[in-house]
Amino acid sequence: MDLVPALEEPLKKVLGPATAKVMAEHLGLHTVGDLLHHYPRRYAERGELTRLAELPLDEHVTVVAQVATARILKFNGGRGQRLEVTITDGSGQLQLVFFGRGIHKPHKDLLPGTRAMFAGKASVFNRKMQLAHPAYQLLNAESSDEAAEAVGSWAGALLPIYPATAKLESWKIAKAVDLVLPSAREAEDPLPESLREGRGLVPLPEALLKIHRPQAKDDIADARDRLKWDEAFVLQVALARRRFAETQLTAVARVPKPDGLLTAFDAKLPFTLTDGQQKVSKEIFDDLATEHPMHRLLQGEVGSGKTMVALRAMLAVVDAGGQAAMLAPTEVLAQQHHRSITEMMGELAQGGMLGGAEHATKVVLLTGSMGMAARRQALLDLATAEAGIVIGTHALIEDKVQFDDLGLVVVDEQHRFGVEQRDALRSKGKQPPHLLVMTATPIPRTVAMTVFGDLETSVLDQLPAGRSPIASHVVPAADKPHFLARAWERVREEVSNGHQAYVVCPRIGDDEDEKPKKGAAKKASAEDEAEKRPPLAVLDVAEELARGPLQGLKVEVLHGRMQPDDKDAVMRRFAAGETDVLVATTVIEVGVNVPNATAMVIMDADRFGVSQLHQLRGRVGRGSAAGLCLLVTEMPEAAPARARLGAVAATLDGFELSRIDLEQRREGDVLGQAQSGVRSSLRMLAVIEDEEIIAEAREEATKVVSADPELAALPALRVALDALLDEEREQYLDKG
């Protein structure tokens, strides 16, 4: 009979079914190894108190503090009682509240001067941060036996504080860790010995003991350095193996004809490409000329000319006898790309038609809402190679769509596509087609290495000549209502100068599901009020503007619930200058290109993320006139959301903003759902802080994999990889 390795032992055998169930359901921990890798979030020192001033709102927190005051108050005409305890740690105060029958024990335990650990969910009431009915553990030496034993159960002077849940407090997790800690000695070390010794890292068993039960601060530092390396290295090995596997695939090399379609297109361009566009194009053309599939991520600032670079790559492939497909996330964007690409190509996009140029090809559009006749013709053009370029939405992925010879897939706005869709489109080539992924969300280098580590990266960070600067300002509507009135005056001024404007709202409106919930609390701070009010809606705002401050201007709306033909008609009228002001949701966030639109007012701007605001702002200043972006908010000046808007207004550098975004939102949101497998494996590594480790780990991983692709000589690394690549993550990487 095989013995289960110590770290794979199910927790229910070690901790009992009840605790194991909570750990599995609420923390995703199933085995002894999972629990050993559930690291303390921070450490409280016996002699030092934690920082109450920095508590995160709406999170389950554990604090170590001292009771300052405790008093029983009556309410409800004397019928109800509550215990209010104020605790302090030198950096700030926090109120604890206990109600009803649950007040007697804490009233006896929590006397002024008592030190304890408290755990609960931090919320705000009457503008004060509080924990309602927190669990607590006394830390006084003379307190009850149970508490004395709890304090004694931590070896050193550092109390580990674990990520916890309402069902399982930090100190209960600590007790569970005590039970499994002896198994840490049997942990297999995934790092090659030469790498570990070369970098002076402690062995894995030692790191696990030190992270959970440090005797001194140096122990924590040693353990973190080691565990960060594990995470970075194992993940980079997984990605390096993907890259290695891609180099083993064969693709058709696509080299453009010397005097073909690409040469004819370049000759009719009314401007010269920027140095950045030329450099990135060369990287792409070099990749296309090899017999392995290109895997390249093209990141570029809003308006840096990514579409032009992608179009030239598609023309090169058509020149070489293949076909190219561009996958866009929305119908509005697919139609916009089709319109702008056929305009840029002119007679070169009229292959097989009267008036088509000598080297011309056909550029077709394929979306779900097309009429049957147009759709049938598009499918025929693809199957017979009449069309060299197709631009479409998910409709491109359907089984009915057949290509004659698919040579290149361009995916626009990577983060909106699941890897399955990319994979389905790639499988339509006779051999794996080349892949170019474009994103307008600037991604810091190490995030790109962590999330898109199987892609080579090209960056466009220059704006083409003729692009105008965009001035951005925060408009505090609650503090200074006259600022909002001035914002609408500015819109009228832009229109009277012959320009157009966007007004963006977070919500469509006129929908039962979107109505605010009844019975919200009466008493709330200005920040709560701004949060609780339903977000402003396109339909309401458009009506108010047309009747009020923008009366007499031609105002239209655009949102996702409109019929595709209606959306297209609205965009055409706006592009043709027939509409003065377009009130829209974020459907205009990417790819919409109307050079005459110079102003944008974003309502409830605090409801949008940093990178989304940056994307939206990129819709103005696309012509020769300067752009203006006004961020309207009702948040009070002290609110964190206001600081975020200030950061957006202060810089136009998308890479700088993406760093701010990442630091504020924690990596999880930024790495996104599509990357969930990667994110959930990063417990210790912070993608921004640990840039150097990630870059070095990528280098080491590439060396290890090229020397031993199957990792035959490193069985422990293979085991760590299998643990990282559970089924979902394995699929994610395979389809990447």
Side-chain angles (χ1 to χ4, degrees):
M1 178 181 132
D2 283 348
L3 284 173
V4 177
L7 271 64
E8 287 170 33
E9 190 83 51
L11 283 174
K12 58 173 179 265
K13 283 195 173 170
V14 187
L15 305 177
T19 308
K21 187 168 186 252
V22 178
M23 286 202 169
E25 284 175 9
H26 295 273
L27 295 169
L29 308 176
H30 303 277
T31 65
V32 167
D34 291 344
L35 180 53
L36 287 173
H37 287 292
H38 185 72
Y39 309 130
R41 179 176 278 167
R42 57 188 177 79
Y43 302 84
E45 291 185 57
R46 283 272 161 75
E48 175 202 87
L49 303 170
T50 57
R51 300 214 19 103
L52 292 180
E54 293 159 14
L55 282 190
L57 193 58
D58 283 337
E59 271 196 36
H60 203 82
V61 297
T62 304
V63 298
V64 176
Q66 193 157 344
V67 176
T69 62
R71 56 191 184 141
I72 290 182
L73 301 173
K74 291 193 174 0
F75 63 94
N76 218 355
R79 288 196 298 278
Q81 285 189 317
R82 74 173 181 271
L83 171 65
E84 280 188 5
V85 178
T86 306
I87 58 173
T88 178
D89 71 344
S91 77
Q93 292 193 332
L94 179 66
Q95 196 157 300
L96 315 177
V97 191
F98 301 86
F99 292 100
R101 297 204 178 103
I103 71 173
H104 303 302
K105 187 171 184 332
H107 189 224
K108 200 169 78 210
D109 289 342
L110 302 177
L111 304 170
T114 304
R115 294 184 68 251
M117 271 199 285
F118 302 92
K121 193 170 182 186
S123 58
V124 167
F125 182 72
N126 276 349
R127 299 197 182 195
K128 281 188 181 160
M129 185 85 96
Q130 69 167 28
L131 300 183
H133 274 288
Y136 61 88
Q137 180 90 6
L138 301 176
L139 295 178
N140 292 25
E142 66 279 7
S143 58
S144 73
D145 294 346
E146 187 193 340
E149 180 215 331
V151 176
S153 75
W154 284 293
L158 294 159
L159 303 181
I161 292 181
Y162 288 90
T165 77
K167 296 261 169 38
L168 202 64
E169 293 93 1
S170 169
W171 50 86
K172 289 184 182 162
I173 296 172
K175 280 184 170 173
V177 169
D178 279 339
L179 289 173
V180 301
L181 208 50
S183 304
R185 300 187 188 285
E186 294 175 46
E188 299 244 349
D189 204 319
L191 291 190
E193 203 168 328
S194 56
L195 189 159
R196 186 170 62 70
E197 288 178 353
R199 295 187 177 272
L201 299 168
V202 299
L204 181 58
E206 187 182 328
L208 290 171
L209 292 168
K210 284 182 166 177
I211 200 75
H212 288 291
R213 298 295 173 262
Q215 301 295 315
K217 286 185 176 173
D218 287 353
D219 287 354
I220 301 169
D222 287 351
R224 279 178 189 258
D225 288 349
R226 164 61 214 243
L227 296 168
K228 281 180 178 187
W229 252 96
D230 276 19
E231 284 177 15
F233 181 71
V234 174
L235 179 57
Q236 291 300 337
V237 166
L239 294 165
R241 291 183 78 196
R242 287 294 318 130
R243 290 196 300 277
F244 182 83
E246 296 295 349
T247 63
Q248 306 307 298
L249 291 176
T250 54
V252 179
R254 308 282 178 176
V255 181
K257 284 191 291 234
D259 288 312
L261 183 55
L262 181 61
T263 310
F265 176 76
D266 283 350
K268 67 193 280 298
L269 278 181
F271 52 82
T272 54
L273 297 175
T274 64
D275 293 348
Q277 284 174 315
Q278 287 177 348
K279 176 178 150 285
V280 168
S281 289
K282 183 181 182 313
E283 291 171 350
I284 291 170
F285 289 159
D286 287 351
D287 282 358
L288 290 174
T290 65
E291 292 183 354
H292 302 296
M294 165 171 81
H295 266 89
R296 195 163 279 282
L297 173 70
L298 171 58
Q299 343 182 25
E301 272 292 12
V302 177
S304 57
K306 290 183 300 298
T307 310
M308 173 60 70
V309 168
L311 175 56
R312 292 183 72 246
M314 293 197 286
L315 295 176
V317 168
V318 174
D319 253 352
Q323 291 168 294
M326 181 185 255
L327 193 54
T330 64
E331 295 211 348
V332 167
L333 198 49
Q335 287 160 340
Q336 171 92 23
H337 276 317
H338 182 252
R339 204 160 43 237
S340 61
I341 282 174
T342 47
E343 278 166 17
M344 281 195 271
M345 287 176 66
E347 71 277 13
L348 294 172
Q350 294 170 359
M353 295 182 240
L354 276 174
E358 181 196 348
H359 299 292
T361 187
K362 207 169 181 181
V363 179
V364 297
L365 176 70
L366 191 63
T367 64
S369 63
M370 281 167 72
M372 277 311 292
R375 189 180 170 77
R376 205 172 288 127
Q377 185 58 53
L379 290 172
L380 186 66
D381 288 342
L382 287 176
T384 58
E386 190 72 24
I389 293 176
V390 59
I391 293 150
T393 54
H394 294 80
L396 278 178
I397 294 165
E398 290 165 14
D399 291 344
K400 290 192 207 78
V401 182
Q402 298 298 326
F403 290 84
D404 175 64
D405 180 13
L406 180 61
L408 171 66
V409 173
V410 178
V411 179
D412 191 14
E413 285 307 301
Q414 151 73 18
H415 59 283
R416 292 164 183 252
F417 277 105
V419 280
E420 289 83 359
Q421 289 120 323
R422 257 168 47 191
D423 203 44
L425 187 53
R426 282 170 58 191
S427 67
K428 291 185 178 294
K430 291 170 184 165
Q431 282 187 290
H434 298 282
L435 175 70
L436 180 66
V437 171
M438 300 197 294
T439 174
T441 309
I443 306 165
R445 188 175 69 108
T446 46
V447 180
M449 276 184 199
T450 309
V451 181
F452 305 114
D454 57 335
L455 301 171
E456 299 300 329
T457 305
S458 295
V459 177
L460 270 179
D461 47 14
Q462 268 177 302
L463 290 188
R467 275 297 163 86
S468 303
I470 305 169
S472 306
H473 303 283
V474 178
V475 177
D479 316 355
K480 300 177 178 160
H482 58 287
F483 275 36
L484 184 57
R486 175 72 188 118
W488 302 127
E489 280 171 28
R490 283 291 288 113
V491 169
R492 292 193 84 99
E493 286 163 18
E494 290 298 313
V495 172
S496 64
N497 289 334
H499 296 303
Q500 294 157 278
Y502 297 101
V503 176
V504 182
C505 305
R507 191 169 72 101
I508 298 171
D510 193 23
D511 181 12
E512 280 308 304
D513 295 350
E514 297 183 324
K515 295 255 166 74
K517 308 269 187 294
K518 287 202 171 87
K522 295 272 192 300
K523 259 189 168 178
S525 67
E527 191 171 341
D528 289 345
E529 286 301 332
E531 281 280 356
K532 287 198 174 104
R533 175 178 59 67
L536 290 170
V538 166
L539 301 175
D540 306 340
V541 169
E543 198 180 314
E544 281 170 35
L545 292 176
R547 281 205 320 259
L550 302 185
Q551 200 171 2
L553 300 187
K554 181 87 172 66
V555 177
E556 286 211 67
V557 300
L558 180 71
H559 57 74
R561 281 210 305 267
M562 291 165 65
Q563 289 302 312
D565 290 354
D566 296 343
K567 280 192 239 179
D568 201 37
V570 168
M571 272 317 301
R572 279 179 192 280
R573 286 195 291 276
F574 190 64
E578 294 164 25
T579 307
D580 298 320
V581 179
L582 185 63
V583 183
T585 55
T586 54
V587 289
I588 61 153
E589 181 184 345
V590 286
V592 172
N593 185 24
V594 180
N596 192 46
T598 52
M600 176 177 284
V601 181
I602 303 180
M603 307 303 290
D604 277 343
D606 47 89
R607 310 265 180 151
F608 298 97
V610 170
S611 56
Q612 201 172 25
L613 291 170
H614 182 59
Q615 285 291 318
L616 287 165
R617 169 171 63 183
R619 302 303 111 213
V620 296
R622 299 177 82 85
S624 51
L628 172 70
C629 178
L630 301 173
L631 306 167
V632 179
T633 178
E634 293 198 1
M635 281 289 171
E637 200 163 347
R642 270 287 283 277
R644 204 169 65 225
L645 297 182
V648 174
T651 179
L652 290 172
D653 180 342
F655 285 93
E656 176 55 31
L657 284 173
S658 71
R659 286 184 77 99
I660 292 169
D661 197 17
L662 200 50
E663 281 158 8
Q664 287 188 343
R665 291 199 309 175
R666 312 217 165 135
E667 292 98 5
D669 307 337
V670 181
L671 303 194
Q673 281 317 108
Q675 281 36 288
S676 62
V678 171
R679 178 58 197 135
S680 57
S681 67
L682 301 188
R683 295 185 178 89
M684 192 59 88
L685 204 62
V687 221
I688 283 286
E689 279 168 38
D690 299 320
E691 278 183 291
E692 278 178 31
I693 294 179
I694 292 169
E696 288 171 18
R698 181 179 165 113
E699 222 170 278
E700 293 278 7
T702 309
K703 272 190 236 161
V704 165
V705 170
S706 37
D708 179 6
E710 291 304 309
L711 308 178
L714 298 164
L717 177 55
R718 285 202 66 115
V719 171
L721 264 187
D722 293 340
L724 170 77
L725 303 180
D726 58 26
E727 214 168 307
E728 171 204 356
R729 298 180 200 148
E730 182 71 87
Q731 280 180 347
Y732 157 69
L733 286 170
D734 271 347
K735 291 181 175 159

